[in-house]
């Protein structure tokens, strides 16, 4: 009898563990260009949940990362393949729900940075309810990173989780959008996975506080070309040649200008 009970406990634990290996697929709507708020970019993102841990990332960014890894291994580089995987979700968010810890990892120029989120989301749960897709949801509001957000969560999926840095509600966030209508995350699909996505870190990740990350971002926006040249020289790259070559510098400046314009209305103000 004792052996049967032990077996049942093991099977139950295994079932719970497997059930928690889940991918939530969100469609992200972004109006990230401040000079053209009528234009909308859409991109799929994944929230992989495994027990008390999760990772949120852009589909194209993950495909690009995997392609780069394969190209390095085969030494067969294709700019055409890379060009079709441009992503406006070039970061990933990792959460540890037991420790209430959120880590942001992303690039500025050529460097990769990581910081721990130090702001808490104070949610106000409202009595308003709605059916979104097949889920019964309830509304909640918060102010975060310079925007006012409305979220709809469902207790049908009892995970205190959501896309991006959003979490802490008594159920999975099915939809969250800011009051200006510039950003929206909408749950499109849920499926089981064998394991969460793994990311290969190339080079060092600069660990710093969020305030220092924002200072680096301000420096990049003020003079992106100089910032990228400096980061390239720190990494031992060949960007010193660009300083001596006016054509290469002009090309870098044009790319930086285009990128900054495309991301001139960031999610976090």
């Amino acid at each position: 009898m004792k052996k049967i009970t032990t077996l049942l406990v093991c099977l139950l634990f295994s079932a719970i563990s497997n059930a928690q290996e889940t991918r939530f697929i969100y469609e992200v709507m972004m109006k990230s260009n401040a000079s053209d708020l009528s234009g909308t970019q859409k991109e799929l993102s994944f929230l992989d949940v495994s027990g008390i841990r999760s990772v949120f990332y852009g589909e194209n960014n993950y495909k690009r990362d995997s392609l780069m890894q394969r190209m390095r291994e085969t030494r067969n580089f294709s700019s055409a393949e890379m060009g079709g995987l441009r992503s406006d979700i070039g970061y990933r968010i990792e959460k540890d729900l037991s420790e209430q810890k959120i880590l942001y990892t992303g690039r500025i120029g050529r460097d990769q940075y990581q910081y721990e989120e130090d702001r808490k989301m104070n949610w106000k749960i409202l009595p308003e309810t709605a059916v979104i897709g097949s889920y019964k949801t309830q509304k909640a509001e918060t102010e975060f990173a310079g925007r006012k957000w409305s979220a709809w969560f469902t207790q049908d999926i009892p995970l205190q989780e959501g896309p991006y840095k959003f979490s802490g509600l008594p159920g999975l966030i099915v939809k969250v959008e800011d009051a200006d209508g510039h950003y929206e995350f909408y749950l499109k699909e849920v499926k089981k996975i064998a394991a969460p996505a793994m990311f290969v870190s190339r080079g060092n990740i600069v660990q710093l506080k969020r305030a220092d990350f924002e200072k680096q971002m301000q420096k990049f926006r003020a003079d992106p070309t100089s910032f990228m040249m400096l980061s390239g020289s720190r990494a031992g790259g060949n960007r010193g040649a660009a300083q001596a070559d006016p054509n290469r510098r002009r090309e870098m400046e044009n790319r930086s200008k285009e990128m900054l314009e495309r991301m001139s209305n960031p999610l976090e103000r």
Side-chain angles (χ1 to χ4, degrees):
M1 183 67 181
K2 185 177 180 180
K3 289 183 178 180
I4 294 175
T5 303
T6 302
L7 178 61
L8 289 174
V9 170
C10 291
L11 289 173
L12 179 60
F13 179 80
S14 176
I16 292 173
S17 298
N18 290 333
Q20 291 175 326
E21 304 286 337
T22 307
R23 174 168 293 163
F24 299 94
I25 302 174
Y26 289 86
E27 183 179 71
V28 187
M29 183 279 291
M30 300 165 280
K31 295 183 178 182
S32 53
N33 189 336
S35 62
D36 183 19
L37 294 176
S38 62
T40 301
Q41 300 83 46
K42 290 185 178 180
E43 188 174 337
L44 289 182
S45 61
F46 297 155
L47 173 66
D48 292 355
V49 178
S50 177
I52 58 172
R53 297 181 182 275
S54 71
V55 57
F56 175 82
Y57 55 97
E59 179 187 38
N60 281 353
N61 193 44
Y62 180 68
K63 287 181 177 179
R64 187 182 178 93
D65 186 81
S66 301
L67 180 61
M68 281 293 293
Q69 181 65 21
R70 178 172 63 81
M71 288 180 175
R72 284 187 172 89
E73 293 172 354
T74 62
R75 297 184 180 277
N76 182 21
F77 291 87
S78 170
S79 58
E81 287 185 82
M82 293 292 291
L85 294 175
R86 191 176 76 174
S87 174
D88 288 331
I89 308 176
Y91 54 81
R92 67 178 183 269
I93 309 291
E94 298 169 80
K95 301 192 195 91
D96 183 328
L97 299 181
S98 66
E99 297 183 5
Q100 298 296 301
K101 186 176 181 180
I102 299 175
L103 289 179
Y104 173 101
T105 305
R107 289 189 178 277
I108 305 177
R110 308 297 299 182
D111 291 331
Q112 188 163 299
Y113 296 85
Q114 185 178 83
Y115 67 82
E116 182 176 346
E117 179 56 61
D118 55 3
R119 296 163 294 181
K120 300 297 181 183
M121 290 189 189
N122 298 312
W123 292 100
K124 179 182 179 182
I125 298 178
L126 304 175
E128 188 175 348
T129 61
V131 175
I132 299 179
S134 60
Y135 300 106
K136 297 177 181 178
T137 69
Q138 187 170 353
K139 190 176 183 180
E141 293 180 343
T142 190
E143 291 189 16
F144 179 75
R147 295 181 185 270
K148 184 176 180 179
W149 298 90
S150 295
W152 297 86
F153 66 94
T154 179
Q155 297 188 50
D156 295 344
I157 304 177
L159 291 173
Q160 295 186 20
E161 260 291 14
Y164 193 61
K165 299 176 181 178
F166 300 105
S167 60
L169 286 167
L172 181 78
I173 294 174
V174 174
K175 178 182 176 181
V176 58
E177 60 186 340
D178 74 305
D180 295 321
H182 293 169
Y183 286 87
E184 177 187 278
F185 300 82
Y186 183 88
L187 181 64
K188 300 284 287 186
E189 185 182 351
V190 180
K191 65 181 183 180
K192 301 300 179 185
I193 55 175
M198 299 292 291
F199 290 83
V200 178
S201 295
R202 291 180 290 273
N204 295 326
I205 298 179
V206 181
Q207 307 278 345
L208 73 179
K209 293 187 179 298
R210 181 182 60 84
D212 294 326
F213 174 84
E214 291 180 351
K215 289 177 183 177
Q216 290 294 89
M217 181 62 77
Q218 289 172 1
K219 290 179 182 178
F220 174 69
R221 289 185 177 278
D223 190 351
T225 304
S226 297
F227 188 97
M228 292 180 72
M229 286 179 175
L230 179 61
S231 64
S233 64
R234 284 198 301 264
N238 60 357
R239 279 177 169 69
Q243 292 177 322
D245 186 339
N247 292 327
R248 289 186 62 185
R249 183 182 179 92
R250 193 176 305 112
E251 180 184 352
M252 188 179 294
E253 287 174 346
N254 290 336
R255 286 203 309 266
S256 300
K257 182 180 179 181
E258 179 188 355
M259 181 183 64
L260 286 178
E261 183 177 4
R262 197 175 75 246
M263 303 301 293
S264 55
N265 181 37
L267 186 152
E268 296 197 21
R269 289 171 168 161

